[in-house]
Amino acid sequence: LQERSKGKPVQAVGYSMGGRLLTNALIAKPEQFSRALVLSAYPMPMKSGREERIAWEMNWRTRFLDEPWEDLEQEWSEQSVFQGSQQSSRRHSAVLREMLGQSLINWSPTQHEFTTDDVKSLPRAVDWAFGALDQKYVSVAKDLAKLPVQGQIAIIENAGHRLPLDATQWIAQWVEQG
């Protein structure tokens, strides 16, 4: 990041797992960012369900490696978190299968937890957005508001979890404001 930006702070956007990774980068090196938008991400400490989460990740990792693409994509999209969101088209390759499976393990919330103090300490220039149709993550927005975080929290109407597909215009406006 420092090399590509020539040491200047950058504007960044991260979605879902990428939003959690962005949160990690923001906590580690906040001076490298002029502003950030975290979309549909879970940046909170896990209160419970650690073992269930690990079992879910291992199940999906195996499925990413072994199941036919059509079945895999259908069942992935049928998860409740994606209800109300547009479908996305994906590339298919053996390398991508391995990367998808491994990403669940490497970048799991069980591996990269943040404390509430970490999240509360993020600067005002860190904004958060969630789709109103994504009830699981609307509750995350409420948790962020209770902390409270310094940045803005947006609940985007008529959007689900897949904000890059569901709220393209809203995201573009956020970027343009920077």
Side-chain angles (χ1 to χ4, degrees):
L1 180 63
Q2 285 184 322
E3 182 180 311
R4 293 189 87 174
S5 70
K6 297 181 177 33
K8 294 180 183 170
V10 300
Q11 177 171 273
V13 177
Y15 160 67
S16 197
M17 181 185 292
R20 192 171 55 251
L21 294 172
L22 176 56
T23 302
N24 191 48
L26 288 160
I27 289 167
K29 302 273 187 177
E31 69 281 358
Q32 291 187 350
F33 300 90
S34 59
R35 69 194 285 245
L37 177 60
V38 180
L39 305 166
S40 300
Y42 187 80
M44 306 295 286
M46 291 189 72
K47 296 174 188 167
S48 62
R50 180 181 217 69
E51 295 306 316
E52 291 86 357
R53 175 66 191 209
I54 292 169
W56 178 88
E57 290 165 351
M58 295 308 293
N59 175 52
W60 276 105
R61 182 176 194 279
T62 300
R63 295 175 77 180
F64 281 145
L65 296 174
D66 299 334
E67 282 192 15
W69 274 108
E70 296 76 23
D71 297 343
L72 178 66
E73 288 179 320
Q74 180 179 345
E75 290 194 39
W76 181 261
S77 290
E78 288 175 355
Q79 294 179 90
S80 61
V81 73
F82 297 123
Q83 299 307 305
S85 247
Q86 294 184 41
Q87 296 293 339
S88 61
S89 58
R90 292 181 174 77
R91 295 173 292 146
H92 297 169
S93 75
V95 172
L96 184 57
R97 281 180 172 278
E98 179 62 33
M99 289 172 58
L100 288 169
Q102 196 60 41
S103 68
L104 286 173
I105 308 307
N106 292 348
W107 301 321
S108 162
T110 64
Q111 300 295 318
H112 301 272
E113 289 194 63
F114 314 114
T115 68
T116 53
D117 287 341
D118 289 335
V119 177
K120 281 172 43 175
S121 72
L122 291 172
R124 184 175 305 281
V126 178
D127 293 329
W128 310 84
F130 303 89
L133 302 175
D134 181 1
Q135 291 304 302
K136 178 178 179 181
Y137 282 80
V138 166
S139 70
V140 173
K142 291 175 183 175
D143 289 344
L144 288 170
K146 287 178 193 173
L147 284 181
V149 292
Q150 297 182 56
Q152 297 294 311
I153 301 169
I155 305 295
I156 302 170
E157 295 300 318
N158 302 313
H161 185 77
R162 292 180 172 129
L163 289 177
L165 297 175
D166 298 345
T168 306
Q169 187 103 15
W170 188 94
I171 296 167
Q173 288 173 338
W174 183 93
V175 171
E176 288 172 1
Q177 290 172 359

